[in-house]
Amino acid sequence: MVDDQLDGSITIYQVQGLSKCDIQLSVIAKDERNERLKKNGCLINNIMYHPEVLTPKEAHGVDLLIVCLKYNTLPDALEDIKQIVDEHTLVMSLMNGVDSEQIIGNQIGMQHMVYSLIKVASHKEGLGYVFDPETTIGIVLEENKEIDKLFSQSNLHYRTTSYIQEEIWSKFRLNVTKNLPQAILGAGVGCYSDSDHMKAIQSGLKDELEAIAKAKDIDMSKADPSATRGSAVPKTARYSTLQDLDAKRHTEIDMFSGTIMKMGKELNIPTPYNEFVYHIIKAMEEKNDGLFEYK
């Protein structure tokens, strides 16, 4: 089972997709998490994988580091990332959001960063993860010959693009408008097609995000419009923010609305929809933490 500090969907896709390659494939973790991954492995589509598990010190000097963390764990992982990277290491951050590359690059040097994103949908079944390899879009990244050579030998779906910032922001828009409204309602994605009120919340979040993107000269119309390989999303689907709340975990709301609010202040662009969603989801986290319970 993939450790909770990692983004499960992202991690299992890399493990499954790169396992066929003639490379040293490792998952990096420390302390108790390291022991847990060594013991439990990764159950993916009913196949058990046991990738090598290394500490950050043991992983020093890897050729390619793929960061698959939850956003709220990134600050504590920066020292570990610095310990892993040497002068030749390339780093891909497949985390959600639009600023993880800059956060990591500020610590290790932007020359190491290869901008990228991932689109994969999986869910837990028992102790493992399940996803559909055929309908998974996979990884989008800026052009890099070394990574292209590796991925071409793998089971990963991927493509390169000259418009990686636009692609990253396009995914960011999808996450903000799909993840957050359903999370505050606690309903499946069918609420978006069934409720004009939910559509209005989506529209408000989208307008604020697009105003910030425009101010940053990011033209999301340049992103590839394809969003699926044919996979249908059931009306009962619950995206990651709601999944976190269901499991009483902290969400990635700081990465979503928190980032939009910060950029909005810097650019003098009002973000009232995102501010409301940010505070209500933070309050829901506090309730899950047991901060208050009044009946």
Side-chain angles (χ1 to χ4, degrees):
M1 183 171 65
V2 176
D3 184 83
D4 289 340
Q5 295 295 316
L6 303 173
D7 188 310
S9 295
I10 298 175
T11 305
I12 60 103
Y13 189 63
Q14 310 312 305
V15 170
Q16 185 271 345
L18 293 171
S19 289
K20 66 165 287 188
C21 298
D22 185 20
I23 59 172
Q24 180 182 345
L25 175 64
S26 306
V27 176
I28 302 169
K30 293 192 305 184
D31 305 326
E32 185 268 339
R33 294 193 294 273
N34 181 289
E35 295 302 318
R36 190 190 315 165
L37 284 166
K38 285 179 179 176
K39 178 181 178 181
N40 296 336
C42 307
L43 182 62
I44 308 167
N45 289 346
N46 294 316
I47 299 174
M48 182 60 74
Y49 294 82
H50 285 280
E52 181 180 43
V53 184
L54 301 177
T55 65
K57 182 178 180 180
E58 291 170 335
H60 175 73
V62 297
D63 296 318
L64 174 64
L65 174 64
I66 302 177
V67 180
C68 307
L69 295 168
K70 289 287 189 179
Y71 189 78
N72 57 9
T73 68
L74 179 57
D76 291 337
L78 290 174
E79 287 300 319
D80 293 334
I81 292 172
K82 286 175 64 176
Q83 188 175 19
I84 295 164
V85 172
D86 74 2
E87 64 274 4
H88 80 280
T89 303
L90 296 176
V91 180
M92 291 172 57
S93 172
L94 295 181
M95 298 169 62
N96 286 323
V98 294
D99 63 352
S100 65
E101 284 91 354
Q102 191 65 54
I103 293 170
I104 297 169
N106 286 343
Q107 295 292 316
I108 64 172
M110 290 303 298
Q111 71 273 16
H112 293 281
M113 302 305 301
V114 178
Y115 279 83
S116 58
L117 63 92
I118 188 171
K119 294 182 179 180
V120 56
S122 71
H123 63 278
K124 274 189 173 182
E125 287 188 5
L127 297 178
Y129 284 84
V130 175
F131 75 98
D132 185 345
E134 293 304 315
T135 61
T136 296
I137 294 174
I139 297 170
V140 182
L141 70 153
E142 62 180 321
E143 295 176 3
N144 182 282
K145 290 182 180 180
E146 295 176 64
I147 297 177
D148 183 69
K149 182 179 179 181
L150 170 63
F151 285 2
S152 67
Q153 304 168 25
S154 73
N155 288 328
L156 298 171
H157 291 162
Y158 78 99
R159 63 178 172 85
T160 60
T161 179
S162 300
Y163 300 107
I164 189 60
Q165 289 294 342
E166 289 80 4
E167 296 275 5
I168 289 172
W169 274 80
S170 182
K171 183 192 174 186
F172 187 50
R173 176 175 59 186
L174 184 67
N175 271 325
V176 168
T177 59
K178 291 290 188 180
N179 257 294
L180 306 186
Q182 75 155 182
I184 61 177
L185 190 66
V189 297
C191 63
Y192 299 129
S193 59
D194 297 340
S195 169
D196 289 337
H197 301 292
M198 292 299 287
K199 292 176 185 175
I201 297 171
Q202 275 191 307
S203 179
L205 293 168
K206 175 174 171 284
D207 289 347
E208 292 172 7
L209 186 152
E210 290 181 346
I212 291 170
K214 183 178 180 181
K216 289 179 169 289
D217 294 322
I218 295 171
D219 182 1
M220 286 182 280
S221 68
K222 294 179 179 178
D224 189 318
S226 62
T228 178
R229 288 178 177 264
S231 56
V233 178
K235 285 192 169 187
T236 57
R238 301 164 87 84
Y239 293 133
S240 61
T241 302
L242 182 51
Q243 290 177 24
D244 286 337
L245 290 173
D246 287 342
K248 299 189 182 302
R249 295 189 296 260
H250 281 203
T251 72
E252 295 183 305
I253 190 62
D254 290 294
M255 178 185 66
F256 293 135
S257 290
T259 297
I260 292 173
M261 290 162 57
K262 179 182 177 181
M263 291 180 176
K265 289 178 181 178
E266 292 170 351
L267 297 166
N268 199 28
I269 295 173
T271 57
Y273 277 89
N274 278 278
E275 289 178 24
F276 173 77
V277 169
Y278 176 86
H279 289 296
I280 198 166
I281 289 179
K282 282 291 188 180
M284 293 168 76
E285 291 177 354
E286 289 176 339
K287 182 180 178 182
N288 283 341
D289 288 344
L291 182 63
F292 51 82
E293 186 63 52
Y294 308 115
K295 297 181 180 179

